[in-house]
Amino acid sequence: MSIKQKSTVESRSELRKTFPKKCLGGVSVAVLASGFAFAPVYAQEAADAPEESRRLGVVTVNARKVEENLQDVPVSVTAFDGAALEAQGAVEFSDLAAFTPGFSTTPGTANPSAFSLSIRGQVQNDVLATLEPSIGTYVDGLYWARAYGLNQDLLDIENVQVLKGPQGTLFGRNTTGGAVLLNTNDPELSGGLSGLVKGRIGNLDERTGTVVVNMPIVEDKFAIRGALQVSKRDGYIEDVLTGQDYNNRDNTQGRIKARWAPTNNLDIVVSGEWYDSDTRQGAFVTEYAYPFPPTPGPRLLNTFIPTPFGTVDNYLDLTGPSEGKSKVALNAEPFIEISTETYTGEAVWGTDIGEFTFITGYRKVENTNQLDLDGSPWPAHATTLDQDLDQFSAELQLAREELGGRLTYVVGATYFEEGGTDSSTTVALTPVNPLDTTFNGEIDNQSIGLFLQGTYALTDQINLNAGVRYAQDEKGITTSGVRVVRATGDVNLCLVDVAIPPDCLAPSRTDTFEEVPYMVGLDYSPNDNWLIYGKFSHGYRAGGQQLRAVSTETQTPFEPEIVDEVEIGFKADLMQSRLRLNVAAYANEVQDLQRSTIFTDDRQINYTLLENAAEATNKGVEAELTALLTDNFTVQASGSLNNPEYETFIDAQGNDRSSENFTYVPEEMFTLAGIYETSTRFGHLNARVDYSWQGETPYDGFNNPAFPEASATVIGEAAGVLGARATLSVTDQLDLTVWGKNLTDEDAYINTLLVGGLGYSSVIPREPLTYGVTATYRFGQ
């Protein structure tokens, strides 16, 4: 199911003639895409070849659900193959953002096992089962609806493709910012038994073991592939009260895939994947305790319980920035226990009328975590969250061509359903407040989609691209909100006035949302080395219901978010394909922008409400460059600029918040990497040094000149992370690697939680300097 790397002596128009091929399957990306990353596998081949063959190769992606040369695709895409991810030291899903311009990942404050993904200003700033992301995640073609457990390990990856801008016609709802396509390696049908064994050790007592085995059972007909990884590491935050370490790693992940090709035109792949993590993750550090609250609320942390530390200021001196953020003193041990199981099936059938692809799958997520949110030794603010969710989906599509190949298109239909529960229990100011607050939501969602997208060649150089989709989401929910007496468990109050004790269930409701995303554009190829394009996209993020309603009024559902975006760009292979430059500029407008906000009612109950309270705009540019400067030295660079602004933002309480920070969106990002490789008497050496920089990033919308200290704590500092890696290929089978990440030990935090009613802000520290060695042994190749 892989595509061979094509030499650039082949024209890109020849690759177009291969349409249609396998859709949404595992695609072989031979080099890093979007003109940015340069795959070490290809680099080694090129280094051993004559100088005249030292060129950037063709990158094959499926951003339009057919296999195409990236440089022919009028979409902004960054792609990495498995070797490139290894060269960058990418271990977890969040590492993908480090070298993707305009893409950022932020661990959730309410659930660090989940991530808020941001592209082009589109982001969901909270993680609940009723809230939809702005960035769609697809693994082996299967849509992963929820971010819970998303930060699992990257195991046996074939390639990752990050599509930017609204992708609603082909990839459906909840892709207003883009989509991430992650493909794992399919079984190889021939070649005998093969695989690898890998061991990694490092500081913080890291020890990771990986085994991959590929076994053809019937030559060219049937094969299975298994991958298993166990990864452990001590935490990098120490509790000065107990000596316990937090933010450790203890992950186990396994995958089995089977592939059957009974005929030359039928290919079937099924897989099962399991992930389990049991860690002491989620340690917050108190950043600031306000002398008076920036918002009305209950008793302040700053005047709370006497402790051996005496005052909050003394506590901050002990654990705050002056000592780094490697020490805390917590009253409750944070933990995350998460397990997922995912089953996927894909069948590709070539016929006389075109190529059919059928993708189906089931995914279950179970997650429990406890967080000491205020990050202090006082029992001031903590929460426990539980999620038990499952999903099923199916997609059927047909790719074909008409009019002698001048018209190519993909038509298809999708079905998705999801159910389960999402609950949380919060305690605040424990010694003086005997009550706990619990929210629970049971969801029942269905979604259908019908789509058509195609390309018509107006001339040999100009193409018209257009697509449309009908999307319908039907969402059902039953919620309960209850305040109970902690000591007895007795109901103190049903939060919604029409609810009845003891369950305090609010009336169930079902809401339907519909939209028609579409796209239209033109692309122009003056020659085989240039592509110039422009397009307009109309995207859609589904509406939904409130999981944490505290009254009949706050049960009102929120409407879909609509994004209209104009994008223009060019892709160029220059200097006889020794330099690749891809640039995209865009401007988007957002209507009914969804924002999640923490409110406090007159009963001193904190609750989260998602509102359609804003209109926003964002303008930006993204650029990616790869240059083969010499036979041995390659430079990669990328950068992005964003300028997001609220046009209007009136919240449910009538407050004008248009001056607030635009959360989780850095205005500037850039990366720079140098790769040097050469043959030595000990083997082939590949050395890489890279630097990724992210500008100031608001982690909370709060921006009030009357409270400058509070406003300052929610702005993440601009920070750059330096990494290095050197791999010596001793033989064709054995690689030895030394590596280091965050070599300057940059300690700028990576998220902030501000709770004005309690008078504090706390932060999530960045992972410190890590280093180690890796040994990889490949067999059967």
Side-chain angles (χ1 to χ4, degrees):
M1 288 182 140
S2 62
I3 302 294
K4 293 182 179 179
Q5 178 177 321
K6 294 180 178 287
S7 167
T8 52
V9 298
E10 296 181 80
S11 71
R12 294 187 292 180
S13 60
E14 291 177 6
L15 186 60
R16 289 196 185 103
K17 296 176 183 178
T18 65
F19 178 93
K21 291 184 178 180
K22 177 181 175 293
C23 307
L24 271 184
V27 185
S28 176
V29 180
V31 296
L32 228 71
S34 224
F36 161 59
F38 183 74
V41 172
Y42 173 72
Q44 183 170 339
E45 292 172 355
D48 296 335
E51 182 177 352
E52 59 269 22
S53 66
R54 180 98 161 116
R55 302 289 185 268
L56 294 170
V58 170
V59 180
T60 308
V61 297
N62 54 352
R64 297 194 292 182
K65 293 204 172 184
V66 294
E67 292 178 348
E68 300 175 280
N69 177 3
L70 172 73
Q71 297 302 98
D72 288 335
V73 179
V75 179
S76 179
V77 183
T78 298
F80 309 90
D81 72 354
L85 293 171
E86 179 76 17
Q88 295 170 11
V91 176
E92 300 171 319
F93 181 91
S94 59
D95 294 331
L96 300 176
F99 293 93
T100 304
F103 179 36
S104 66
T105 64
T106 305
T109 51
N111 195 321
S113 72
F115 277 83
S116 294
L117 310 181
S118 170
I119 297 177
R120 295 187 174 180
Q122 310 307 310
V123 64
Q124 175 56 266
N125 67 326
D126 198 1
V127 181
L128 287 175
T130 52
L131 309 185
E132 306 294 350
S134 299
I135 316 301
T137 302
Y138 291 79
V139 180
D140 288 335
L142 181 71
Y143 177 60
W144 285 16
R146 300 299 155 203
Y148 300 123
L150 186 59
N151 194 31
Q152 62 186 55
D153 301 331
L154 298 175
L155 174 63
D156 197 26
I157 300 299
E158 182 180 14
N159 67 75
V160 177
Q161 303 165 42
V162 181
L163 286 55
K164 303 165 192 174
Q167 307 294 323
T169 52
L170 288 176
F171 292 95
R173 75 212 208 292
N174 308 333
T175 56
T176 52
V180 178
L181 316 183
L182 192 153
N183 298 305
T184 64
N185 283 309
D186 286 338
E188 295 289 340
L189 293 174
S190 60
L193 183 70
S194 63
L196 63 84
V197 178
K198 181 189 300 183
R200 183 173 73 238
I201 59 174
N203 66 324
L204 299 175
D205 197 22
E206 176 175 3
R207 57 269 192 215
T208 298
T210 307
V211 177
V212 178
V213 177
N214 189 95
M215 183 165 48
I217 306 298
V218 179
E219 188 75 8
D220 296 326
K221 296 292 184 182
F222 183 75
I224 60 174
R225 186 182 185 95
L228 175 67
Q229 180 168 288
V230 178
S231 182
K232 298 179 183 291
R233 190 185 68 185
D234 292 345
Y236 51 87
I237 300 175
E238 179 186 356
D239 193 317
V240 298
L241 296 179
T242 65
Q244 182 65 269
D245 65 286
Y246 302 133
N247 287 26
N248 67 324
R249 184 191 299 154
D250 188 354
N251 303 335
T252 302
Q253 184 176 352
R255 183 187 308 116
I256 297 177
K257 301 183 80 170
R259 181 181 174 192
W260 181 40
T263 66
N264 290 333
N265 60 356
L266 179 60
D267 210 330
I268 300 171
V269 177
V270 296
S271 68
E273 180 172 317
W274 302 268
Y275 172 71
D276 184 81
S277 180
D278 186 357
T279 62
R280 298 179 298 277
Q281 288 279 350
F284 287 79
V285 178
T286 302
E287 176 69 8
Y288 193 79
Y290 311 118
F292 51 91
T295 59
R299 189 175 180 183
L300 304 179
L301 179 63
N302 198 45
T303 58
F304 200 37
I305 305 166
T307 72
F309 295 98
T311 68
V312 169
D313 289 338
N314 290 341
Y315 168 71
L316 293 173
D317 288 341
L318 174 66
T319 63
S322 62
E323 296 290 332
K325 296 187 177 71
S326 59
K327 294 182 179 181
V328 294
L330 305 182
N331 65 280
E333 179 178 310
F335 69 85
I336 298 177
E337 297 175 355
I338 184 165
S339 63
T340 69
E341 50 185 283
T342 308
Y343 307 95
T344 306
E346 178 187 37
V348 181
W349 182 33
T351 71
D352 292 339
I353 64 172
E355 186 168 82
F356 289 93
T357 300
F358 177 70
I359 302 171
T360 188
Y362 168 84
R363 176 170 169 82
K364 183 175 182 62
V365 177
E366 294 178 306
N367 180 71
T368 298
N369 62 304
Q370 174 178 283
L371 301 172
D372 184 345
L373 294 171
D374 58 274
S376 79
W378 299 279
H381 197 198
T383 188
T384 301
L385 304 104
D386 291 276
Q387 293 82 31
D388 189 344
L389 302 164
D390 56 20
Q391 66 169 74
F392 168 80
S393 64
E395 176 174 347
L396 178 64
Q397 61 188 47
L398 169 65
R400 60 176 285 126
E401 59 182 27
E402 303 277 4
L403 305 177
R406 296 188 70 87
L407 173 65
T408 60
Y409 64 88
V410 177
V411 60
T414 62
Y415 173 78
F416 171 86
E417 64 180 30
E418 178 186 28
T421 59
D422 190 330
S423 64
S424 63
T425 297
T426 300
V427 298
L429 307 178
T430 303
V432 296
N433 175 23
L435 305 174
D436 295 344
T437 303
T438 296
F439 292 99
N440 183 75
E442 182 173 352
I443 64 170
D444 182 11
N445 301 334
Q446 289 84 37
S447 176
I448 60 172
L450 303 171
F451 64 89
L452 169 66
Q453 181 163 314
T455 297
Y456 178 70
L458 299 174
T459 71
D460 289 343
Q461 296 175 308
I462 302 175
N463 294 316
L464 171 65
N465 308 294
V468 65
R469 187 184 190 100
Y470 169 73
Q472 182 189 84
D473 293 279
E474 183 179 276
K475 296 191 170 186
I477 190 169
T478 302
T479 65
S480 67
V482 59
R483 195 165 63 180
V484 301
V485 178
R486 185 179 310 114
T488 64
D490 295 336
V491 174
N492 172 267
L493 177 69
C494 291
L495 301 185
V496 178
D497 49 11
V498 297
I500 301 174
D503 296 326
C504 293
L505 294 177
S508 301
R509 65 176 301 143
T510 299
D511 298 280
T512 300
F513 308 94
E514 297 179 324
E515 188 59 35
V516 181
Y518 60 89
M519 181 276 298
V520 63
L522 291 170
D523 67 75
Y524 169 60
S525 300
N527 53 52
D528 281 344
N529 298 319
W530 279 81
L531 175 73
I532 303 168
Y533 69 91
K535 66 186 180 80
F536 175 83
S537 302
H538 177 81
Y540 155 73
R541 176 151 57 129
Q545 296 113 347
Q546 309 291 348
L547 191 146
R548 295 174 178 170
V550 294
S551 65
T552 304
E553 292 75 17
T554 56
Q555 285 185 293
T556 303
F558 53 90
E559 295 299 315
E561 179 181 285
I562 305 299
V563 177
D564 291 326
E565 181 175 279
V566 175
E567 177 182 335
I568 58 173
F570 71 85
K571 301 182 178 184
D573 282 359
L574 308 172
M575 300 176 61
Q576 298 181 331
S577 294
R578 295 180 67 87
L579 184 147
R580 180 169 293 163
L581 176 63
N582 293 351
V583 178
Y586 63 87
N588 60 49
E589 296 183 353
V590 186
Q591 302 293 324
D592 288 326
L593 186 146
Q594 299 173 4
R595 277 294 181 263
S596 183
T597 305
I598 299 176
F599 292 100
T600 302
D601 69 6
D602 55 7
R603 299 168 295 181
Q604 303 305 323
I605 294 173
N606 292 323
Y607 65 97
T608 301
L609 188 67
L610 193 133
E611 307 172 279
N612 294 110
E615 297 180 2
T617 61
N618 186 30
K619 301 179 180 66
V621 62
E622 302 151 353
E624 301 178 281
L625 172 74
T626 299
L628 306 181
L629 299 184
T630 71
D631 288 345
N632 302 97
F633 187 57
T634 303
V635 170
Q636 304 165 350
S638 71
S640 67
L641 298 174
N642 283 286
N643 184 28
E645 295 179 342
Y646 290 116
E647 298 297 319
T648 61
F649 190 170
I650 307 298
D651 68 19
Q653 298 177 346
N655 301 312
D656 184 355
R657 297 166 53 188
S658 57
S659 62
E660 284 196 0
N661 299 318
F662 211 94
T663 55
Y664 295 168
V665 181
E667 293 191 0
E668 310 93 9
M669 300 175 68
F670 75 82
T671 68
L672 182 64
I675 301 172
Y676 178 78
E677 52 187 314
T678 187
S679 295
T680 73
R681 67 176 188 171
F682 302 105
H684 189 86
L685 176 66
N686 186 300
R688 174 190 176 98
V689 177
D690 52 53
Y691 182 78
S692 61
W693 186 87
Q694 179 172 305
E696 288 187 350
T697 305
Y699 294 125
D700 189 277
F702 189 82
N703 182 23
N704 190 333
F707 305 98
E709 295 89 351
S711 300
T713 61
V714 303
I715 304 295
E717 298 175 1
V721 177
L722 179 67
R725 189 178 183 91
T727 298
L728 182 66
S729 298
V730 181
T731 68
D732 290 340
Q733 286 76 41
L734 179 62
D735 291 345
L736 299 176
T737 302
V738 294
W739 52 268
K741 301 173 69 173
N742 193 7
L743 294 177
T744 60
D745 203 18
E746 173 61 59
D747 64 358
Y749 50 81
I750 56 176
N751 204 350
T752 300
L753 174 67
L754 183 148
V755 183
L758 290 174
Y760 78 85
S761 60
S762 59
V763 300
I764 299 178
R766 181 185 298 273
E767 188 174 286
L769 163 68
T770 57
Y771 52 86
V773 297
T774 302
T776 304
Y777 177 76
R778 299 176 178 84
F779 58 90
Q781 298 179 358

